[in-house]
Amino acid sequence: MTEFESFVPYRLRALMDEDRTPHAIALECADKNALKRCAELIALRVLCKSDKDKPCGECSACIKISGGNHPDVYTAKSEGKRNTVKISEIRAICADSVYKPNESDCKIYIIPEADKMEPSPQNAFLKLIEEPPQPMLFILLCENVLGLLQTVRSRCAVFRLSGDDSDGIEICAAAENIALSVCKSREAELMYACAALNDRQQSLKILKRLGEIVREAVSCGITGKAQDCGAAVKELSLKVGKRGLLKMQESILNARRHIDRNVNMTLVSTVLSENLWNDKYL
Ligand SMILES: [Zn+2]
């Protein structure tokens, strides 16, 4: 797993891979250094000039960002007793935002401790994210996204940094594969996909991720915002109704319980496969 994969939440990576990076991203984590590094990795991924394996870490853009001197990546300065970003700084960013990027296609603004900003700078910032004068990316770093004004929050794609290794690429791939197989027309494909559940510890992580995918599909169905989701979430939200999805969550939870109770893994995977297949018709 690369550093990019371990820091940047899976769902955001999926969007970036599909060229659908949201223009305003709110990252939530208690660890400020993790937030900073994640923002930097996102900037690297967006501005990297390599054709593949972005961020490459070697191109001129990657080197400048890592050195903290890329002209199109700006981190807002905080000041004062509470060490927060003040309205004067947001105004300066708004003024700067009208100028074209220096050497890339997109300007990136990183706002540290965005959730600690007073309402007035948040409101000034809101206008900018509502009507950016050109393609730009805003990354808001938050200890708790609820500190953002609701109006600001609703315009951001919110991602939580998990800090555990549940985002491992194999785990995500296996979970996605199961979710996508549920949507297919042959039950055998789902059985093959569920056969990935063989190692107990690994399976618990796969099922945790699968549960997240299903949960995201439920909220996609409610908000109708399927375009902001990864492929598996999108498919599920289109092909399975809300009742089916809720039942699937139950089936996944049951499978996790069976694993905790040391039930034979072949049985766990067979039962889950059958249950998910039946759930989708609800
Ligand atoms: Zn690069």
Side-chain angles (χ1 to χ4, degrees), residues 52-234:
K52 55 178 173 102
D53 296 335
K54 297 182 184 191
C56 71
E58 290 165 1
C59 69
S60 60
C62 283
I63 288 169
K64 283 183 189 172
I65 294 169
S66 302
N69 52 19
H70 193 293
D72 299 323
V73 180
Y74 182 79
T75 302
K77 294 185 178 59
S78 6
E79 56 180 323
K81 229 189 274 170
R82 294 182 59 230
N83 199 31
T84 54
V85 176
K86 298 277 185 289
I87 189 154
S88 53
E89 176 72 348
I90 296 295
R91 287 199 182 120
I93 287 176
C94 291
D96 175 73
S97 69
V98 299
Y99 296 106
K100 292 266 167 262
N102 287 283
E103 47 191 70
S104 49
D105 303 327
C106 175
K107 283 184 140 176
I108 300 181
Y109 294 102
I110 299 168
I111 316 290
E113 313 215 35
D115 53 333
K116 306 280 183 350
M117 279 196 291
E118 300 286 341
S120 60
Q122 287 207 43
N123 274 316
F125 188 65
L126 175 63
K127 293 205 181 80
L128 182 61
I129 47 177
E130 276 180 325
E131 292 171 30
Q134 56 183 328
M136 22 187 96
L137 170 61
F138 303 100
I139 307 175
L140 290 79
L141 310 185
C142 306
E143 192 182 326
N144 180 351
V145 288
L146 295 177
L148 294 173
L149 294 180
Q150 196 274 332
T151 43
V152 173
R153 200 168 61 238
S154 68
R155 280 160 183 83
C156 295
V158 176
F159 301 93
R160 209 156 283 122
L161 271 57
S162 59
D164 61 28
D165 65 349
S166 63
D167 273 4
I169 202 156
E170 278 175 41
I171 289 159
C172 290
E176 279 218 343
N177 195 21
I178 296 175
L180 287 168
S181 303
V182 169
C183 304
K184 296 206 174 128
S185 54
R186 289 176 54 229
E187 190 176 356
E189 298 204 34
L190 179 57
M191 282 168 59
Y192 291 136
C194 286
L197 302 172
N198 45 44
D199 174 84
R200 248 165 237 287
Q201 289 314 313
Q202 185 88 347
S203 298
L204 284 170
K205 291 177 185 172
I206 295 171
L207 291 176
K208 181 171 171 237
R209 179 60 204 146
L210 181 62
E212 287 168 5
I213 292 175
V214 175
R215 195 172 65 226
E216 282 166 34
V218 175
S219 59
C220 257
I222 292 168
T223 60
K225 277 200 199 154
Q227 70 273 18
D228 290 342
C229 311
V233 174
K234 195 173 170 181

